[in-house]
Amino acid sequence: MDGTVGLASGSPRRKQILESLGLTVSQLPAGIDETRGTNEAIVDYVARLAREKARFGADESGVSAIPVVAGDTAVALNEQLFDKPRDEAHAVQMLLSLSGKVHQVHTSVAVLWQGSLKVDVVSSSVSFSAITEREAHDYWASGEPEGKAGAYAIQGLGGRFVKHLSGSYTGVMGLPVFEVWKRLTALTEWSVKSS
């Protein structure tokens, strides 16, 4: 094993996280239906999506010689899902709803290797400061919230809204490092030396 993994995601953040572990990353397609099921709990939803992305990525690419990693992230407030914003108005609405409150970020990671598929879900609590409507519009104008669950990125400008985090920082970014590494080393019985 040479430290190469398949990533069933087009996310540059997830790719960067895996590369920070000393891994060589090959991005794979992950075109699945991401519709949440009726009455599907959010933790079950993100776990299902990670499983489906890993399987789809492996099947579509024909990859069998390397482990496939997939993940999904959901932002929730009182079981209300805050998905990727459709437009500026939607992003501003989400940010103002999260303003001054504690919300949850549920991130799943699936690792598929030689027919064995393992999934973990990491839940973190994020406390936001108060956000004004002007701040929300200015943040949207930065371009960062587009395509981000909950309309923010903790590792970027959105980090200025975070008062407190209880949980996994990399999980909130989109891929929890501890769980990824635990699964990869357990399934593949290899370790990667950072360069």
Side-chain angles (χ1 to χ4, degrees), residues 61-85:
S61 64
V63 166
S64 60
I66 60 173
V68 174
V69 176
D72 196 76
T73 301
V75 173
L77 180 65
N78 303 322
E79 275 298 307
Q80 179 186 353
L81 183 64
F82 286 69
D83 207 354
K84 297 170 185 173

Side-chain angles (χ1 to χ4, degrees), residues 17-156:
I17 290 169
L18 291 173
E19 288 174 341
S20 75
L21 295 174
L23 300 167
T24 301
V25 180
S26 175
Q27 289 189 283
L28 310 171
I32 63 165
D33 179 5
E34 296 192 20
T35 306
R36 184 181 175 195
T38 306
N39 300 321
E40 185 176 24
I42 292 176
V43 292
D44 296 335
Y45 170 63
V46 295
R48 176 176 60 80
L49 290 185
R51 274 194 307 274
E52 289 179 4
K53 287 177 183 179
R55 288 184 180 125
F56 185 90
D59 290 347
E60 288 297 303
S61 64
V63 166
S64 60
I66 60 173
V68 174
V69 176
D72 196 76
T73 301
V75 173
L77 180 65
N78 303 322
E79 275 298 307
Q80 179 186 353
L81 183 64
F82 286 69
D83 207 354
K84 297 170 185 173
R86 296 182 299 274
D87 52 28
E88 181 175 2
H90 189 215
V92 169
Q93 176 191 7
M94 283 196 280
L95 290 167
L96 295 180
S97 295
L98 297 173
S99 172
K101 299 185 178 103
V102 177
H103 63 271
Q104 288 67 50
V105 179
H106 306 288
T107 300
S108 57
V109 58
V111 177
L112 175 61
W113 173 238
Q114 296 182 339
S116 179
L117 178 63
K118 301 294 183 184
V119 180
D120 291 293
V121 177
V122 176
S123 297
S124 302
S125 293
V126 181
S127 174
F128 261 19
S129 62
I131 303 170
T132 67
E133 190 168 343
R134 175 61 186 265
E135 286 175 316
H137 281 288
D138 288 348
Y139 182 47
W140 174 262
S142 75
E144 187 175 273
E146 195 169 352
K148 308 288 193 307
Y152 77 96
I154 193 171
Q155 73 278 13

